[in-house]
Amino acid sequence: MQELVLIQPIRAVETEWAREAATAATRREFEERLAECGRLAFRIARGVLRNTADAEDVAQEALLRAYRRFDRLRDRQRFRCWLVRITFRLALDRARSAKRREQRETLWAQPVPRPTTEDLAASSEFQSHLASAIDELSPKLRLVLLLAAMEGHTTDEVAALLGLPIGTVKSRLFFARKQLAEKLRCHVKNIKTR
């Protein structure tokens, strides 16, 4: 009887050590994956929300969710794609929430003055105009444009990251570039007429 009492605690300790070792290995693997693509979460959130503070909050929440659910991820090689999806969905939720809040507060909102043609002539103003033109794109078009044009991913990589067919990625990229060109064409004409 004493042998059973002595053996059970040893087995319990061994299982606890094995569990702790597995947890430590999972944590190390998560940290390695995070080192490869940790900043991507912020860039995706920033691309959708166009607000640094909100993007930081969303990126932190996405990384926390990824950490909590990392042991459930079957294919660890697809961590980058998985993190992009988590971040994109959280950013969309935040954007929708902000939009609803903004609609509720429209009665108290002050109108935003439009910049004059003289103000748009400066190159910093062009960057501002470009940012607002990107803001006007739908979140789906903005994300594809961000990943392909600004992050430098190929259409195949964007399709893999977002889990979309390549044709869908190509069409979204085409429409995003077309809408952006139309919005910037007016700005370029104003500068040339000076």
Side-chain angles (χ1 to χ4, degrees):
M1 196 86 141
Q2 287 181 346
E3 276 186 35
L4 290 176
V5 172
L6 292 176
I7 292 174
Q8 272 184 330
I10 291 174
R11 286 185 185 161
V13 168
E14 287 175 354
T15 20
E16 185 177 328
W17 286 344
R19 195 174 323 122
E20 287 176 6
T23 303
T26 302
R27 184 177 298 129
R28 273 192 305 277
E29 185 178 359
F30 178 79
E31 289 172 357
E32 290 170 5
R33 302 253 181 231
L34 192 59
E36 295 171 7
C37 56
R39 296 287 303 159
L40 181 63
F42 172 75
R43 290 191 305 261
I44 296 299
R46 178 74 171 97
V48 173
L49 298 171
R50 310 303 298 171
N51 180 322
T52 303
D54 287 343
E56 288 173 351
D57 291 344
V58 167
Q60 187 174 15
E61 177 67 23
L63 294 175
L64 184 61
R65 284 192 186 187
Y67 178 74
R68 287 180 181 158
R69 298 178 182 159
F70 185 68
D71 56 335
R72 297 182 201 161
L73 182 61
R74 292 183 196 137
D75 185 5
R76 303 278 168 94
Q77 300 302 318
R78 297 192 43 86
F79 177 78
R80 184 180 183 95
C81 176
W82 185 58
L83 183 61
V84 166
R85 286 182 184 167
I86 291 171
T87 307
F88 181 66
R89 288 182 181 137
L90 286 173
L92 278 180
D93 288 346
R94 174 73 62 104
R96 289 177 186 138
S97 173
K99 191 178 237 182
R100 286 191 298 268
R101 189 178 326 109
E102 184 180 316
Q103 287 174 349
R104 285 192 307 264
E105 296 173 355
T106 51
L107 296 175
W108 298 279
Q110 298 293 325
V112 178
R114 296 227 178 242
T116 64
T117 307
E118 292 80 21
D119 294 337
L120 293 175
S123 63
S124 61
E125 287 298 320
F126 178 76
Q127 292 297 325
S128 162
H129 190 68
L130 175 64
S132 67
I134 291 174
D135 285 343
E136 293 174 12
L137 294 174
S138 72
K140 291 179 181 181
L141 297 180
R142 191 179 321 131
L143 179 64
V144 171
L145 184 68
L146 172 77
L147 290 173
M150 296 176 187
E151 290 291 323
H153 292 287
T154 64
T155 52
D156 293 330
E157 291 171 340
V158 174
L161 285 171
L162 298 177
L164 296 171
I166 193 160
T168 303
V169 171
K170 286 180 179 180
S171 68
R172 285 183 184 175
L173 189 57
F174 171 79
F175 286 116
R177 287 178 176 159
K178 183 178 177 183
Q179 288 179 16
L180 197 59
E182 289 172 0
K183 292 172 197 257
L184 293 177
R185 187 173 296 128
C186 176
H187 176 68
V188 172
K189 285 180 183 176
N190 284 341
I191 290 175
K192 287 182 179 178
T193 57
R194 290 181 184 197

